[in-house]
Amino acid sequence: DAGVIQSPRHEVTEMGQEVTLRCKPISGHDYLFWYRQTMMRGLELLIYFNNNVPIDDSGMPEDRFSAKMPNASFSTLKIQPSEPRDSAVYFCASSFRAGWDYGYTFGSGTRLTVV
Amino acid sequence: DAKTTQPPSMDCAEGRAANLPCNHSTISGNEYVYWYRQIHSQGPQYIIHGLKNNETNEMASLIITEDRKSSTLILPHATLRDTAVYYCIVKGSGTYKYIFGTGTRLKVLA
């Protein structure tokens, strides 16, 4: 099992540009989570999906952020337009339906730098 | 979900047991205690979880006090690769959201 796969690993973009982060969850997992980590705020849950449907997006900071899960094996987190304060490491995690017993599996993250 | 309190940092000698405490005095009856760790530049990694009984797996042991107001994660023989930030999280069975605090930065010393 390759685990949760995120791409790209690093992204540097200019302010105002659109950024798309990608995530492939573990096959068979039906929950997918997007987290953001910064020094100031630590790990924050942005949004999570169950069976490809967004369940809770209360952590999405503002309308510039959007997330989709078109199928069980792919999710995107888009920032448009990007701002320097969006610079962070973005993690995707997935979990099986009973996965709260066994925890999430996190990907390696995408380090985003907006200049 | 109940809040947790952890010491910001700890040191442990390589080969010795690392005992990481967590206070969760407001935990309610249906809330589990989870432990994750995050090694530098990697995503968090699940370690262990428990409700009220002590638990052990290949990575660690979890000791929960009888009143459930605190717990201790034990790494029996710490190695340099166990240097990481360790997060104690309390989460109800009906929610899928983990709220990560600031954790304990464990440094294992050679």
Side-chain angles (χ1 to χ4, degrees):
Chain A
D1 191 342
V4 176
I5 299 172
Q6 292 187 247
S7 63
R9 285 299 309 274
H10 303 274
E11 177 82 40
V12 180
T13 190
E14 292 185 348
M15 183 173 65
Q17 296 297 307
E18 177 180 295
V19 175
T20 299
L21 312 181
R22 296 171 176 79
C23 174
K24 177 179 168 56
I26 290 175
S27 177
H29 282 192
D30 53 355
Y31 280 85
L32 184 137
F33 307 83
W34 282 100
Y35 278 83
R36 175 173 70 173
Q37 185 171 34
T38 62
M39 288 292 292
M40 291 295 292
R41 301 173 67 90
L43 273 159
E44 305 173 277
L45 177 64
L46 300 178
I47 185 171
Y48 77 91
F49 296 81
N50 174 220
N51 290 324
N52 314 337
V53 176
I55 301 301
D56 185 342
D57 65 354
S58 59
M60 296 286 263
E62 45 195 280
D63 292 346
R64 296 184 298 106
F65 286 69
S66 62
K68 292 183 180 178
M69 192 164 185
N71 57 62
S73 58
F74 185 64
S75 176
T76 60
L77 179 67
K78 185 179 293 186
I79 308 172
Q80 164 66 17
S82 58
E83 296 182 5
R85 60 192 166 120
D86 301 330
S87 297
V89 181
Y90 290 81
F91 289 104
C92 175
S94 70
S95 172
F96 180 54
R97 185 165 67 94
W100 57 266
D101 282 334
Y102 304 102
Y104 302 175
T105 302
F106 280 80
S108 300
T110 294
R111 182 174 295 277
L112 173 66
T113 304
V114 183
V115 298
Chain B
D1 292 329
K3 289 189 67 173
T4 62
T5 304
Q6 299 178 253
S9 65
M10 293 181 63
D11 290 343
C12 176
E14 188 178 21
R16 305 297 293 268
N19 297 282
L20 294 96
C22 179
N23 182 285
H24 31 79
S25 58
T26 60
I27 193 170
S28 60
N30 69 344
E31 290 183 317
Y32 286 71
V33 180
Y34 285 79
W35 284 83
Y36 279 75
R37 73 179 181 184
Q38 188 173 23
I39 296 169
H40 182 61
S41 298
Q42 298 181 22
Q45 176 190 26
Y46 166 82
I47 301 173
I48 198 167
H49 77 281
L51 183 62
K52 52 185 170 184
N53 298 321
N54 298 338
E55 302 287 345
T56 296
N57 62 21
E58 66 278 4
M59 289 183 68
S61 294
L62 173 61
I63 308 297
I64 302 174
T65 58
E66 194 167 341
D67 64 7
R68 303 208 324 122
K69 292 186 177 183
S70 66
S71 60
T72 301
L73 179 74
I74 301 172
L75 308 179
H77 306 286
T79 71
L80 298 178
R81 286 180 293 180
D82 292 322
T83 293
V85 177
Y86 287 77
Y87 297 98
C88 169
I89 302 162
V90 170
K91 186 175 77 67
S93 58
T95 176
Y96 291 86
K97 295 168 64 169
Y98 287 122
I99 307 299
F100 286 83
T102 54
T104 295
R105 187 172 296 275
L106 175 69
K107 183 185 252 187
V108 179
L109 306 171

